[in-house]
Amino acid sequence: MRVWAPTSASDIEIELAGRVVSAARAALGVELSLEGAVIRPAGPGRPADFQSNAALALAKRLGSRPAEVAAALVEALEVDDLAEPPVVSGPGFINFSIRRDWLERRLCAVAADERAGVPRAQTEQIVVVDYSAPNVAKEMHVGHLRSTIIGDAIVRTLAFAGHRPLPQNHVGDWGTPFGMLIEALQDQGWAEGDAHDIDDLNAFYQAARSRFDTDDAFARRARDRVVSLQAGDPPTLGLWRELVAESQRHFADVYRTLGVLLGPEHTIGESFYNDRLADVVDELERSGLAGLHDGAVCVFPPGFANRDGQPLPLIIRKRDGGYTYATTDLAAIRYRAQELGADRIIYVVGAPQRQHLEMIFATAGLAGWLGDDTTVEHVAFGSVLDENHKMLRTRAGVAVKLGDLLGEAVTRAAAILDDRSPDLAPAERDDLAAAVGIGAVKYADLAADREKDYVFSLDRMLSLDGNTSVYLQYANARIHSVLARAVELPDPATPILVGEPAERVLGLKLLAFPAVIDSVLESMDPHRLCTYLYATAVAFSGFYETCPILTADDAPTKASRLALARTTSRILTLGLGLLGIEAPQRL
């Protein structure tokens, strides 16, 4: 993985940064980081491709004028193989124009590469990714959307890069809620083998929760039922297994509609860790990390305090001997690090869980469960809001069911397709409606800064204007239309020419793809890829409008422009695929 790869950085920018660093050492005797070279794409209308602002900061360090520092850097810069002679402008900016022959060679190599220039990782990492995490006997709702979508994009990107992602769907399938639910179902005469769908279970759960909160006798029986469940009582286990099986069918339906990679084989429920919890507590007690506090067994990882400034406990066994979510999370991180052999563990979990996860990570580190090279990280995200910037809920005040939300997106997409393409066959129309509707929901989520809340608006998501998946899908479909009309497609080794400004802009954007993938892998921010794909589609639009492709003046120019179009489509398709979004060839 590269040392420095900001969102917009291409290999060219990284290479130029290295040349500026060498020039600063040679001409000024100062050390400069790659970031300190401050290489950025030149602004629109400027007679250059890239600009360095390094001289401005160096001038302050050296007590010199920026223009003098810039001139010294230019004198020492060795870029003849890569760029035209650099030019100083303004108060001390250094402008670079990439050599046409260099750019054309690089583009030709990328055009011939099915991976669009993205190398595979030299060392494969085992990366555990914890995401989605619905609860058994409850319908998935909008609160599960972001974790599922972001986690899926991360898994796809890791796999494309050459790593080995291990998805972990940490399903809530154990503990008091199931004693409560099973006891309520038995009160209603439900027996093993009776058929109930997820809607029934959802209603049963809500009724059971109400009884548990208001009926002390029922609450005691529910807790006793938990003991029976944990002890392996056959009738109780049989009912529990049916709850899990029906829930798994529901989860699979939603995942299939959403187009994510999660399957039953990735589900590791809380029940999986039940037999490991006592050992986790014993090990932490033996090591001196855990001890009794107010009747409970607690760990006090350093650096965490409550509102009064007192050390904050992580409770791992309650006064009554029961275990907590923290105990399960500790068992999970130990299992992932030691038994799955993870090099990297990623938790795609909402931002409110930040402190809890930090305490889990700290405890796991103190316990020695994480190897020297094992990293753990919290990929946090904000909430989904309605257009009034409130939590997205139904009129009744409950969370919107995820299946209903996705169904509405597909229905709206179908209506748009009916207006734009009324000649579509019904089967094709249905497939495209799913690709467009689901893609719109996923892209709107992934294009937002994941740590911030975002507003859910199907009208905006399905717009053909602006940074939407529909815009990208139509851009890609336009390219396929052009390629389909070409009498002959160019050979993969066709020379690429960038004589026109729009060709140059598009070419430079295409070369940035590998560094953007690196940036996503480093930051776990899929919105960086979305930003890049949108900018690439915009660059192609400018190229398409100003550079005739099928009616180019000569055969070499036509072949070059077809190759540029095909490479753009490949990158758009690859990028959308990493986001879990389809790229139909026709819309």
Side-chain angles (χ1 to χ4, degrees), residues 136-137 172-183 185-186 190 192 220-244 269-272 274-275:
V136 164
D173 67 350
W174 203 245
T176 301
F178 296 92
M180 176 183 75
L181 181 57
I182 292 170
E183 193 66 24
L185 290 172
Q186 289 218 316
W190 192 48
E192 188 175 347
R220 285 193 297 272
R221 286 193 289 120
R223 294 189 183 96
D224 290 341
R225 181 67 65 175
V226 174
V227 175
S228 298
L229 179 62
Q230 293 172 339
D233 173 59
T236 302
L237 272 178
L239 292 172
W240 173 79
R241 290 192 184 102
E242 291 195 3
L243 293 173
V244 172
E270 293 174 356
S271 59
F272 174 83
N274 184 58
D275 295 338

Side-chain angles (χ1 to χ4, degrees), residues 93 114 342:
F93 304 132
E114 290 296 324

Side-chain angles (χ1 to χ4, degrees), residues 166 232 455:
L166 300 180
V455 174

